[in-house]
Amino acid sequence: MPSPDPKVISGNANRPLARAIMRRLSMHRGVRTGLVEARVERFNDQEIFVEVFENVRGEDMFIVQSTSNPANDNLMELLIISDALRRSSAARITAVIPYFGYARQDRRTKARTPISAKLVANLIANSGIERVLTMDLHAAQIQGFFDIPVDNLYASPIFALDIMHHFRGSMDDLAIVSPDVGGVARARELAQRINAPLSIVDKRRERAGEISEMTVIGEVAGKTVIIVDDICDTAGTLCKAADVLVEAGAKEVHAYITHGVLSGPAVGRITASQLKSLVITDSIEPTEDVKSCANIRIVPTAPMLTQAILNIWNGTSVSSLFDTATLEPIYEPLYPGLNIDA
């Protein structure tokens, strides 16, 4: 007989997050459960091998696997785990991909370039995965690349709770800033959640990867500024935007970024920057350098992802998790006493 509970298996991309999800599931279901026992390892030539040690026939399976660095290895792990579950007669396979890699390649920016996000969507669907649960896709239209259902969660309700908690008493002094024109919709959504004004940093590039000029559009003088974006990679744009905002009269500059890729010189740049704090989620497993950085703080996604898994499993609404008020009781231990409906 299939288990009465959803079953979760994890690749190697972010096992701490997968274990945190299982702790939350145990609390919700009132029964202590763990990840499905499996081994995901490599042969000497780096081919990936997966063996599932538990019976999964007829089970509702959830694979927790971000496709972060090393993106290709983690993507192949996801596909091979799915193939192993499909061939073991799992009833349904849902991929929980907190960070969806290759999302920045969502269109052809010039001739003779790929649309890699579409290719990855095809690979995922053809591997036997029947549903995808992800968070803050770089571009919402990527959902249309899939021929299977995609639930795209948002970090902004969590960020709104975090801001209301940490800036309690000074909410009137806040201003939300988008670091580029492309991220305005994302920044506007958070600004509306906390009833703050919105500004934009307009950047011009002379060539790829080099910013020649930045201009602040909007009023930030005397404000505590919060930069909002979905991905921080090398942190060059973010740190330069912080400098420009301080020059424009901002009192303090903070940043809320969903996916902390933080590759190469990113941590060093953030440490030496004008940023008072950088808040990221644990959608990508943080490195030791990230965890030890004094002005980087990590907020958990496990409470929201766990609730989404339960809602998918029992056939209830996932879009309810788009509301800050819905997430408030889930995150109450972290942010007590907010009473946002009061």
Side-chain angles (χ1 to χ4, degrees), residues 226-246:
I226 296 175
I227 301 172
V228 179
D229 209 352
D230 64 325
I231 296 173
C232 178
D233 193 347
T234 60
T237 299
L238 180 64
C239 293
K240 187 161 185 178
D243 292 340
V244 170
L245 289 164
V246 170

Side-chain angles (χ1 to χ4, degrees), residues 7 33-34 67 104 122 155 175 195 215 232 245 257:
K7 285 201 165 186
T33 55
T67 50
R104 285 175 282 184
N122 289 343
N195 195 28
T215 306
C232 178
L245 289 164
I257 310 291

Side-chain angles (χ1 to χ4, degrees), residues 198-230:
L198 174 67
S199 297
I200 304 166
V201 175
D202 178 42
K203 62 186 178 187
R204 292 180 175 84
R205 299 182 188 269
E206 288 188 354
R207 58 179 62 90
E210 293 184 15
I211 300 168
S212 59
E213 183 183 353
M214 277 188 165
T215 306
V216 178
I217 304 172
E219 184 56 52
V220 297
K223 295 281 190 180
T224 297
V225 171
I226 296 175
I227 301 172
V228 179
D229 209 352
D230 64 325

Side-chain angles (χ1 to χ4, degrees), residues 255-293:
Y256 279 74
I257 310 291
T258 306
H259 307 298
V261 177
L262 300 178
S263 59
V267 175
R269 284 176 174 171
I270 291 163
T271 302
S273 73
Q274 302 262 22
L275 285 170
K276 190 84 171 177
S277 69
L278 167 62
V279 179
I280 59 174
T281 75
D282 58 356
S283 62
I284 297 172
E285 183 177 0
T287 63
E288 290 302 318
D289 285 346
V290 171
K291 288 189 281 188
S292 62
C293 183

Side-chain angles (χ1 to χ4, degrees), residues 1 30 33 43 45 52 68 78 112 127 202 240 263 265 305 339 341-342:
M1 288 289 292
T33 55
F43 293 119
D45 64 354
V52 181
S68 50
L78 172 65
R112 296 175 296 280
S127 71
D202 178 42
K240 187 161 185 178
S263 59
L305 290 172
N339 296 320
D341 289 331

Side-chain angles (χ1 to χ4, degrees), residues 10 53 135 219 314 334:
S10 175
F53 296 127
M135 185 170 65
E219 184 56 52
N314 60 31
L334 277 176

